[in-house]
């Protein structure tokens, strides 16, 4: 008797039959809604699955109490039956699911199972795309909507997105910049499975995202806090008063063109000191507002609530973009807008394997990249130049990111202080 081919089994059945995914399946089994989707023969979905090797193992502590342990680097100190200590990343959720085996049956244990199942359902929704995309199809766009939509109004109730990066040398397929696809295209009757080396993490807010690489964004995060603009790019939970439930507050959907520390370091020395002095606070705030696009999620291949845009151009001739568009988007700085240009190309490189694609993305004539970094409340794009608010009426000229001093700002003393004081 031959075992059924993976193409004859659903995604859930493929994972259930493969011991390499036993720990993930143990977590899936706590949510009937996840099982129903992954086992639905009528579905056509993509699932990013984490094998056992991508999930951390429980590490016993060296203390006297054998019941206490550390999970990876973080001690979760479970309070059995208490939902507040439940992890919010898949790796540690699996560990907490495995911990249930050591807990006697009780009402608290049942409550904990239910709470774990709810969190697992949300986290795994971010591992699911609502359409079947093999690896060749996956690289055609830069971002995709997942099955995770947040009920608090983040992203204007649109699904959270993930980003896809592919390189030729070395050949690599990545999700959200840091997660490697280690086994592609396991077919199932209701979709396709891509194995990933570590779990995907639903992204934090724009502001929190920048603290993942503080050396890159130390200047801009400091500047945002200095001029009290945190609420324009952050989204955070505020507990309710007098026992009320509480809610998320802050920016619900925003695009931020985030200048790197290098962008600030390339400013004239005197200007940098001025901006971070009490005398330059107004100028700094207005400049930062010019980099923030409120109420818009602007990805290179997806726009929600943009004020104006041209339709994608579908043309696959050599040298002509698969799609291209220009956008003029209003910024948080009143009466000032940014000009965005995007073009997506299919590479004409005679190499074996699937087709390769690349994107040219510019804002006010400056190259953008990395781009399409998804966040809970929008999208982050990285730029290595501080955008000049005169850019919407200055003459176009070539910009060279390697220059030690940004030439756009050499005449700042002639206009910036006066501009900053204008209402």
């Amino acid at each position: 008797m031959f075992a059924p081919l993976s193409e004859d089994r659903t995604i859930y059945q493929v994972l259930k039959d493969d011991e390499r995914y036993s720990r993930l399946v143990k977590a899936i089994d706590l949510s009937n809604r996840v099982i129903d989707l992954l086992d639905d023969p009528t579905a056509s979905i993509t699932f990013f699955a984490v094998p056992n090797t991508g999930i951390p193992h429980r590490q016993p502590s060296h203390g006297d109490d054998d019941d206490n342990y550390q999970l990876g680097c973080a001690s979760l100190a479970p309070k059995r039956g208490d939902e507040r200590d439940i992890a919010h990343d898949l790796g540690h959720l699996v560990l907490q699911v495995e911990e249930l085996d050591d807990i006697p049956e009780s009402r608290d244990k049942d409550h904990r199972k239910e709470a774990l199942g709810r969190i697992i359902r949300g986290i795994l929704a971010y591992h699911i795309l609502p359409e079947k995309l093999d690896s060749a199809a996956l690289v055609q766009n830069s971002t995709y909507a997942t099955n995770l939509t947040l009920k608090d109004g983040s992203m204007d109730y649109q699904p959270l997105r993930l980003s896809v990066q592919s390189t030729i040398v070395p050949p690599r397929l990545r999700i959200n910049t840091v997660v490697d696809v280690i086994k592609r295209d396991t077919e199932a009757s209701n979709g396709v499975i891509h194995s990933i080396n570590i779990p995907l993490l639903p992204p934090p807010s724009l502001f929190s995202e920048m603290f993942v690489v503080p050396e890159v964004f130390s200047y801009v995060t400091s500047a945002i806090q200095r001029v009290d603009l945190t609420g324009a790019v952050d989204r955070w939970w505020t507990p309710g008063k007098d026992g009320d439930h509480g809610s998320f507050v802050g920016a619900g959907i925003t695009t931020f063109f985030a200048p790197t520390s290098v962008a600030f370091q390339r400013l004239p020395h005197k200007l940098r000191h001025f901006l971070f002095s009490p005398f330059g606070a107004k100028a700094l705030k207005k400049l930062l507002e010019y980099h923030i696009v409120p109420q818009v999620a602007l990805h290179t291949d997806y726009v929600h609530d943009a004020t104006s845009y041209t339709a994608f151009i579908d043309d696959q001739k050599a040298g002509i973009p698969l799609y291209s568009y220009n956008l003029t988007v209003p910024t948080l700085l009143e009466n000032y807008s940014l000009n965005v240009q995007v073009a997506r190309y299919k590479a004409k490189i005679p190499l074996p394997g699937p087709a390769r694609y690349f994107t040219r993305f510019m804002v006010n004539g400056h190259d953008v990249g990395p781009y399409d970094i998804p966040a809970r409340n929008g999208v982050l794009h990285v730029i290595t130049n501080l955008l000049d608010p005169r850019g919407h009426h200055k003459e176009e000229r070539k910009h060279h990111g390697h220059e030690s001093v940004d030439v756009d700002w050499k005449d700042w003393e002639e206009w910036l202080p006066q501009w900053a004081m204008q209402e």
Side-chain angles (χ1 to χ4, degrees), residues 24 27 50 55-56 88-95 120 123-124 127 199-201:
L24 175 63
V50 188
I55 297 171
H88 283 72
D89 67 279
L90 184 60
H92 289 95
L93 278 168
V94 171
L95 289 171
I120 287 168
I123 298 294
L124 288 181
H127 290 70
L200 292 169
L201 186 66

Side-chain angles (χ1 to χ4, degrees), residues 89-157:
D89 67 279
L90 184 60
H92 289 95
L93 278 168
V94 171
L95 289 171
Q96 292 186 326
V97 172
E98 292 171 338
E99 176 214 12
L100 292 173
D101 293 338
D102 302 327
I103 301 176
E105 295 300 324
S106 67
R107 183 175 297 179
D108 282 348
K109 181 176 180 178
D110 292 339
H111 289 164
R112 189 166 180 80
K113 281 184 177 180
E114 293 173 6
L116 282 166
R118 285 194 296 270
I119 302 299
I120 287 168
R121 184 175 74 237
I123 298 294
L124 288 181
Y126 193 69
H127 290 70
I128 298 171
L129 306 184
E131 56 184 324
K132 179 182 177 180
L133 295 167
D134 62 17
S135 58
L138 202 58
V139 299
Q140 292 183 21
N141 286 332
S142 296
T143 69
Y144 291 93
T146 69
N147 262 25
L148 179 58
T149 300
L150 301 177
K151 297 179 180 180
D152 62 74
S154 295
M155 281 292 289
D156 194 29
Y157 299 101

Side-chain angles (χ1 to χ4, degrees), residues 32-343:
N32 289 332
R33 287 172 61 176
V34 176
I35 294 174
D36 290 344
L37 177 58
L38 298 182
D39 203 31
D40 181 359
T42 67
S44 181
I45 59 177
T46 301
F47 185 56
F48 295 97
V50 188
N52 295 343
T53 55
I55 297 171
H57 288 275
R58 190 167 72 181
Q59 298 179 357
S61 70
H62 299 291
D64 296 329
D65 188 351
D66 291 336
D67 290 332
N68 294 326
Y69 53 80
Q70 290 183 336
L71 300 178
C73 297
S75 177
L76 296 179
K79 303 171 186 176
R80 296 169 183 175
D82 188 348
E83 297 183 12
R84 290 174 295 178
D85 72 299
I86 291 178
H88 283 72
D89 67 279
L90 184 60
H92 289 95
L93 278 168
V94 171
L95 289 171
Q96 292 186 326
V97 172
E98 292 171 338
E99 176 214 12
L100 292 173
D101 293 338
D102 302 327
I103 301 176
E105 295 300 324
S106 67
R107 183 175 297 179
D108 282 348
K109 181 176 180 178
D110 292 339
H111 289 164
R112 189 166 180 80
K113 281 184 177 180
E114 293 173 6
L116 282 166
R118 285 194 296 270
I119 302 299
I120 287 168
R121 184 175 74 237
I123 298 294
L124 288 181
Y126 193 69
H127 290 70
I128 298 171
L129 306 184
E131 56 184 324
K132 179 182 177 180
L133 295 167
D134 62 17
S135 58
L138 202 58
V139 299
Q140 292 183 21
N141 286 332
S142 296
T143 69
Y144 291 93
T146 69
N147 262 25
L148 179 58
T149 300
L150 301 177
K151 297 179 180 180
D152 62 74
S154 295
M155 281 292 289
D156 194 29
Y157 299 101
Q158 299 300 301
L160 296 192
R161 302 181 76 82
L162 55 75
S163 63
V164 177
Q165 300 82 35
S166 63
T167 57
I168 299 173
V169 182
R172 177 182 290 160
L173 182 60
R174 279 187 166 173
I175 310 299
N176 287 356
T177 307
V178 297
V179 178
D180 284 318
V181 176
I182 54 177
K183 187 174 186 295
R184 311 181 187 188
D185 302 331
T186 299
E187 290 285 337
S189 61
N190 62 344
V192 62
I193 303 168
H194 302 297
S195 295
I196 51 179
N197 65 327
I198 55 175
L200 292 169
L201 186 66
S205 72
L206 289 165
F207 190 61
S208 298
E209 193 96 66
M210 290 184 283
F211 285 94
V212 176
V213 278
E215 66 277 8
V216 176
F217 297 113
S218 59
Y219 273 85
V220 74
T221 52
S222 175
I224 287 170
Q225 294 173 89
R226 189 179 189 89
V227 297
D228 199 25
L229 275 179
T230 305
V233 291
D234 200 7
R235 190 159 181 81
W236 65 95
W237 173 261
T238 298
K241 296 180 180 179
D242 300 324
D244 289 343
H245 182 59
S247 62
F248 276 90
V249 297
I253 181 168
T254 299
T255 299
F256 184 37
F257 290 90
T260 63
S261 295
V262 170
F264 283 93
Q265 291 164 356
R266 291 179 59 238
L267 296 175
H269 184 75
K270 189 175 179 181
L271 170 57
R272 194 163 67 246
H273 279 273
F274 170 72
L275 291 176
F276 285 89
S277 74
F279 305 102
K282 285 190 175 181
L284 181 61
K285 184 172 185 176
K286 291 180 73 171
L287 289 175
L288 289 173
E289 289 174 336
Y290 185 59
H291 291 69
I292 298 170
V293 182
Q295 302 302 316
V296 174
L298 169 60
H299 286 276
T300 58
D301 55 2
Y302 168 81
V303 180
H304 180 70
D305 275 357
T307 55
S308 64
Y309 62 93
T310 59
F312 290 165
I313 300 171
D314 187 5
D315 194 331
Q316 299 196 22
K317 296 179 182 179
I320 298 178
L322 298 173
Y323 60 78
S324 63
Y325 61 89
N326 295 332
L327 285 174
T328 300
V329 288
T331 69
L332 189 60
L333 183 60
E334 191 174 358
N335 298 323
Y336 283 80
S337 59
L338 297 174
N339 179 255
V340 171
Q341 297 175 302
V342 175

